[in-house]
Amino acid sequence: MSPISHRQPLATSWARFRLLLAWSAGFGLAAAGGALWWIETAGTALRLHLMLALGGGIFLAVMLAGALMGLVFLSNRTGHDEEAGDLYRHDSMGNDGPG
């Protein structure tokens, strides 16, 4: 029996991953826009390089966090975590894992 057989179908897991990325993109855009608005209301002159660096940095950081979190969930939902755990617990000689 495959460790993936009792898990969600792969297409469903990838759909949820893409949904999480879409939510991350929306939150990243909102956070970047909010930061730019806050900087402007503080009286700082918004130059092109400042807007690109600040907005891009915040957006990419949020997207990276969302993508890594999504990959953790994807790995768990598809059964890859269990499969890796089984490999860790039983080595090729039939012995239990380290310890």
Side-chain angles (χ1 to χ4, degrees), residues 4-94:
I4 300 175
S5 63
H6 67 284
R7 295 292 184 177
Q8 292 180 354
L10 195 57
T12 303
S13 297
W14 277 106
R16 285 186 167 193
F17 176 74
R18 285 189 295 273
L19 180 64
L20 185 105
L21 284 184
W23 276 98
S24 295
F27 182 73
L29 287 173
L36 289 172
W37 173 79
W38 184 42
I39 292 293
E40 183 190 13
T41 58
T44 304
L46 286 180
R47 298 180 188 257
L48 178 64
H49 290 105
L50 174 65
M51 292 189 318
L52 290 175
L54 184 64
I58 291 172
F59 177 76
L60 290 175
V62 171
M63 285 300 293
L64 178 63
L68 291 174
M69 183 175 60
L71 287 173
V72 168
F73 290 140
L74 180 70
S75 176
N76 183 34
R77 285 186 190 122
T78 57
H80 288 94
D81 289 351
E82 286 182 20
E83 188 176 332
D86 290 342
L87 291 174
Y88 179 73
R89 284 189 287 275
H90 304 288
D91 65 9
S92 61
M93 300 294 284

